[in-house]
Amino acid sequence: MAVISYIFNALIQLYILVIFVSVILSWLISFNVVNRDNRFVSAVWRTCGALTEPALAPIRKMLPSLGGIDISPILLLVGVNALQIGVNRYVFGPLLSSGL
């Protein structure tokens, strides 16, 4: 069971990293630091979008317009961290303490 817990936590941390990369890359593109015409930047941008947009789109629909400020990644990070804490405490915690 410890292996499943480790894999779950590693995947959550990887998803958090993808969210951060997506946010930072969007800033770099907005301020013309990097160019989306670059193949590498375009590939990273599309990959991050494909991984984060399914979770960010429903959050964006619920939020009111804040005048160009997008706080949906922050709310997604809070939700993902809450999910991680809940699963670790209430699913893996009792299983790991019982020795399974």
Side-chain angles (χ1 to χ4, degrees):
M1 187 54 66
V3 173
I4 296 172
S5 172
Y6 177 78
I7 291 171
F8 172 77
N9 286 307
L11 289 174
I12 292 289
Q13 292 302 319
L14 183 63
Y15 193 67
I16 289 171
L17 179 67
V18 169
I19 295 169
F20 276 115
V21 168
S22 177
V23 168
I24 292 170
L25 190 58
S26 73
W27 292 342
L28 293 175
I29 290 171
S30 294
F31 293 117
N32 291 324
V33 176
V34 295
N35 190 353
R36 280 181 52 182
D37 294 333
N38 183 322
R39 284 177 152 179
F40 178 74
V41 172
S42 178
V44 172
W45 180 248
R46 283 191 318 246
T47 303
C48 288
L51 292 172
T52 59
E53 278 306 311
L56 289 173
I59 296 171
R60 287 186 182 128
K61 284 183 183 178
M62 292 188 305
L63 290 176
S65 176
L66 297 175
I69 298 174
D70 186 16
I71 62 167
S72 59
I74 296 169
L75 295 177
L76 181 59
L77 286 171
V78 169
V80 167
N81 280 321
L83 173 73
Q84 183 180 22
I85 291 168
V87 169
N88 282 331
R89 179 169 293 160
Y90 298 112
V91 175
F92 293 132
L95 292 175
L96 291 175
S97 65
S98 68
L100 291 177

